[in-house]
Amino acid sequence: MTAVNLLDFDLAGLAAYCEGLGEKRFRATQLFRWLHQRGVSDCALMSDLAKSFRDKLSSVCEVRVPAVLSEQASADGTIKWLFDVGGGDAVETVFIPEDDRGTLCVSSQAGCAVGCRFCSTGHQGFSRNLTTAEIVGQLWFAEHHLRHRLHLPEGSRAITNVVMMGMGEPLQNYSALLPALRVMLDDHAYGLSRRRVTVSTSGVVPMIDRLRDDCPVALAVSLHAPNDALRDDLVPLNRKYPLAELLAACDRYLESAPRDFITFEYCMLDGVNDTVEHASQLVDLVQGRGVRAEPLSCKFNLIPFNPFPASGLTCSPRERVKAFANVLQESGIVTTIRKTRGSDIDAACGQLAGEVQDRTRVAERRSGRAAIPIVPIDASAARALAAQALERPA
Ligand code: SAH
Ligand code: SF4
């Protein structure tokens, strides 16, 4: 029988589990803190728990984190890990350091079923949903590994923000996502505020409503087109949940969202969705000129398309991106142009592929960027680091 993975539980789940083992529910809080705040995976080391409880835990459960297959660091400080999730699948997690924050970009699925034309994960197809432990494990590993590696003082955090913008469509893996979000927010675990945890979705309308009811965190919606005809082509999920329904769900979400705006992501594709006419249509769409009753409170984040060979697409020239941003800004919509991070290690938005089975494509991609400074840590060194993080006492 496979041992229960303690990273699969949010606090309520862990309390119920401990009760099932004949322990008082409040013991779960202590255990939860050892796991997530201190990064301890060996129950024998949890010194303020009764010896009998520790022994019981050690015999029936464990902390299982996906093994690190590789670690790559970009010249700009971005770090990407490739995690082995078994069965030939791997997923990627990216740490993006900035002056005032450390953001972790987390994956929710191996592959993705939505199949957006401009996304490398989408081109890979869908393999499987990650478990809660595999989602939380990415944060658990990154936080405790980085604290150690960056020599952070006791009590400080490496990761201040989480964005569910790695591989996969988080709202198509809702049952695993929800407990994972609760762990991220829990004061006894990572204690991140709702504003600092962002779920990014291509527009799974019913699940936007569920998230609003169950665990409202910051919401980013991947829009990419101002009309249904174009969006049907770029984001096939639009055929099921067209723009009017998607924007109505955004309105409903705002009723209980931790931020008073929705972030719309818009990937700039040369000659596809990037003209000033497209920008004007977008303004009409969100500001309600003849289309909606009320303007929608939103910000736009324009993402320069990060190319990959199979897409057949290219990024809009810089001037066109600026002209597009101007149209939105002049209509009073806060608009930013996302700075691409980690592109030298294929860690930028939409470049995550996590492939392990298709070695030829990995080799192909690597050869194409030989001149770029890359600091690879080989798999055995990365595994040793992972083992060290797993064994490190508090
Ligand atoms: N499935 C979710 C979250 C993962 S994708 C979603 O689609 O929102 C995270 C973001 O990266 C999305 O906004 C997505 O549209 C964007 N993206 C995907 N491929 C990209 C690419 N090649 N270049 C730039 N952004 C891309
Ligand atoms: Fe899936 Fe998001 Fe990529 Fe679309 S952009 S294929 S929804 S991961």
Side-chain angles (χ1 to χ4, degrees), residues 290-311:
V291 189
R292 296 162 44 78
E294 292 283 331
L296 176 69
S297 173
C298 63
K299 292 186 180 178
F300 268 84
N301 198 347
L302 305 182
I303 318 175
F305 170 61
N306 292 306
F308 60 99
S311 69

Side-chain angles (χ1 to χ4, degrees), residues 112-116 118-123 166-169 202 222 224 235:
C112 182
V114 178
C116 300
F118 48 83
C119 172
S120 177
T121 309
H123 275 246
M167 298 169 64
E169 170 48 58
S202 54
S222 296
H224 308 309
V235 184

Side-chain angles (χ1 to χ4, degrees), residues 263-336:
T263 303
F264 286 126
E265 293 163 285
Y266 196 99
C267 182
M268 299 297 294
L269 302 164
D270 186 14
V272 176
N273 64 354
D274 63 347
T275 65
V276 290
E277 288 75 27
H278 288 123
S280 305
Q281 269 188 48
L282 269 186
V283 173
D284 289 348
L285 184 72
V286 299
Q287 292 201 333
R289 290 179 203 153
V291 189
R292 296 162 44 78
E294 292 283 331
L296 176 69
S297 173
C298 63
K299 292 186 180 178
F300 268 84
N301 198 347
L302 305 182
I303 318 175
F305 170 61
N306 292 306
F308 60 99
S311 69
L313 297 161
T314 49
C315 180
S316 311
R318 184 138 191 92
E319 285 314 307
R320 209 172 313 139
V321 178
K322 281 195 193 152
F324 195 97
N326 269 343
V327 174
L328 297 175
Q329 278 158 349
E330 276 165 16
S331 308
I333 301 173
V334 174
T335 305
T336 48

Side-chain angles (χ1 to χ4, degrees), residues 17 19 42 49 59 67 110 142 155 160 257 275 278 306 313 325 348 370 391:
Y17 180 69
E19 223 172 19
D42 181 352
L49 299 180
S59 65
T160 60
T275 65
H278 288 123
N306 292 306
L313 297 161
E391 282 164 17

